[in-house]
Amino acid sequence: MAIREITKYGKDEILRKVCRTQLNFDDRLAQILDDMADTMYEADGVGLAAPQIGILRRYCVIDVGEGIVELINPVIMETKGEQHGQEGCLSVPGRYEDVTRPMYVKVRAQNRKGENIIVEGEGLMARALCHEIEHLDGVLFIDKV
Ligand code: CO
C-alpha cells in the first residue's frame, strides 16, 4: 500500500487521453487498486480514476461514505433523472463548478477478480460514477460547465 502522486490538470496530458481496457486481473492490479484507495482517502476525495495516478487503464475507485467500490472496465448502462450540484476533482484542486448529472446511474463493470458486477448509484454516488467513468475517456468535469 502506498500513496501515489495525483496528476494535475494543466500539467499532465495523460488526463486527456482515452484509457485502454484492463485485461489482466492479477496481483499488480490489486496492488494498484489498494494504492488508489489509499491515495483517495489521504486526499479526502470520493473517487479516483487510474489516469489520475498516471495509468492509462479503464478502472477507478469510489467511496461516497458507503465503503470502497472498485470498477474495472465500467460502462454506464442506464441513467434516470437529473441533479444539479457542485463538483470538484482531485486533479483540478481548488476549483468547484455546478455540473448537471443524472440522479440515478446503473453501471456494469468487473471487480478485481474479473467477475462481472452491476453497481447502481443515486445522488452523490451517481455523480461520482459519471465523473470517474468520464476520466477514463479523458473528460474532466470542467468540460461540462
Ligand atoms: Co476527477
Side-chain angles (χ1 to χ4, degrees), residues 6-10 12 15-16 39-40 43-53 60-61 85-99 101 124 127-128 130-136 138-145:
I6 298 175
T7 57
K8 298 298 191 301
Y9 173 64
D12 210 325
L15 292 171
R16 289 307 195 180
T39 304
M40 174 181 71
D44 268 330
V46 299
L48 192 70
Q52 292 183 276
I53 59 160
C60 59
V61 297
Q86 283 228 317
E87 201 166 309
C89 178
L90 294 175
S91 291
V92 192
R95 188 159 167 195
Y96 299 89
E97 303 282 358
D98 285 318
V99 183
R101 297 287 191 185
L124 180 58
R127 180 176 292 283
C130 293
H131 179 116
E132 298 313 325
I133 292 170
E134 284 183 351
H135 267 300
L136 308 181
V139 176
L140 300 174
F141 80 106
I142 48 175
D143 304 336
K144 323 289 280 186
V145 176

